[in-house]
């Protein structure tokens, strides 16, 4: 009931820190992985705990699971923020250890079912067994609990978290997870690296970031898919950067449809992601009219 009851004990915080977790408030922790600097989230209630993105394969998921168990022995529910292998390839390991479901957005689950296998090469350097599809815990495991248009509340026991989708952005099935003033944003935000535009919807992504800014003082800590936790000022900066970059892209495409790649050097995301952004703005802009 009171605040004291929901705040973890100092003993628990110390044990979690020793296992590699950073405490971010609201009974929530974040664990940064070496390979893709991907973030795993952990939210602990009185009766169950939620794990957000188990990692890029069994090599990453095994120590992640051990780190989870250093904090809590409660039943676990898993979340996949979106359909990129560095976030969901760890599903099989967690399923083998016992979880009571994997939540994702409907579109993400469809994408994993359709193209999950073809993403294996992504982890060839850090998860060779997963890349080869050979060995223990290397199956592509599909989410079985789906979020559609409406937010879903999950009661972890005296601590309610909300799963929701704000529209297409980094992918067409990005799921956000909020616990009070803490928000896990998946790859809608990346810290220390440019956003990944490969299968993104840039103009809609900008709207999603705009919505996050509009609900302003709701969130004080935002966990990006990769890198350090950020605040709303970071989201505001990313929103304006993307807005300006999209304007530059549409201008370049309108002026020089035959070679709009000339805009790459003036875009703020480095040559690879700037090229992806241009291509995605070009591919998706017709849908907006
Ligand atoms: Zn991603």
């Amino acid at each position: 009931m009171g605040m004291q009851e929901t705040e973890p004990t100092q003993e628990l915080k110390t044990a979690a820190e020793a296992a590699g977790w950073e405490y971010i408030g609201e009974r929530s922790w974040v664990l940064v992985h070496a390979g893709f600097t991907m973030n795993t989230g952990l939210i602990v209630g009185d009766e169950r705990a939620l794990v957000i993105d188990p990692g890029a394969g069994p090599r990453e998921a095994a120590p992640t699971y051990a780190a989870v168990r250093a904090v809590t022995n409660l039943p676990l529910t898993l979340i996949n923020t979106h359909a990129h292998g560095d976030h969901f390839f760890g599903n099989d390991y967690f399923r083998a250890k016992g979880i009571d479901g994997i939540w994702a957005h409907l579109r993400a689950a469809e994408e994993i079912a359709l193209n999950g296998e073809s993403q294996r090469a992504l982890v060839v350097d850090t998860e060779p067994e997963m890349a080869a599809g050979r060995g223990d815990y290397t199956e592509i495991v599909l989410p079985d609990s789906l979020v559609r248009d409406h937010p879903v509340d999950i009661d972890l026991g005296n601590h309610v978290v909300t799963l929701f989708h704000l529209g297409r952005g980094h992918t067409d099935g990005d799921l956000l997870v909020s616990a009070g003033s803490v928000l896990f944003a998946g790859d809608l935000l990346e810290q220390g690296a440019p956003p990944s535009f490969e299968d993104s919807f840039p103009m809609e992504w900008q709207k999603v970031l705009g919505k996050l800014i509009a609900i302003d003082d709701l969130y004080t800590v935002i966990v990006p898919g990769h890198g350090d936790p950020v605040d709303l000022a970071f989201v505001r900066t990313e929103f304006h950067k993307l807005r300006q970059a999209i304007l530059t892209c549409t201008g370049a495409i309108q002026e020089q449809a035959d070679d709009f790649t000339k805009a790459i050097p003036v875009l703020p995301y480095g040559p690879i992601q700037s090229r992806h952004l241009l291509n995605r703005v070009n591919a998706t802009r017709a849908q907006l009219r």
Side-chain angles (χ1 to χ4, degrees), residues 43-56:
I43 310 174
V44 181
D46 288 348
E47 288 152 27
R48 56 184 56 253
L50 204 70
V51 176
I52 301 161
D53 289 343

Side-chain angles (χ1 to χ4, degrees), residues 81-87 170-171 174 186-188 190 196 199 226:
T81 56
H82 64 290
H84 285 156
D86 53 330
H87 296 259
H170 171 66
T171 66
D174 301 310
D187 286 1
L188 285 166
E190 292 195 38
S196 294
D199 42 5
H226 303 258

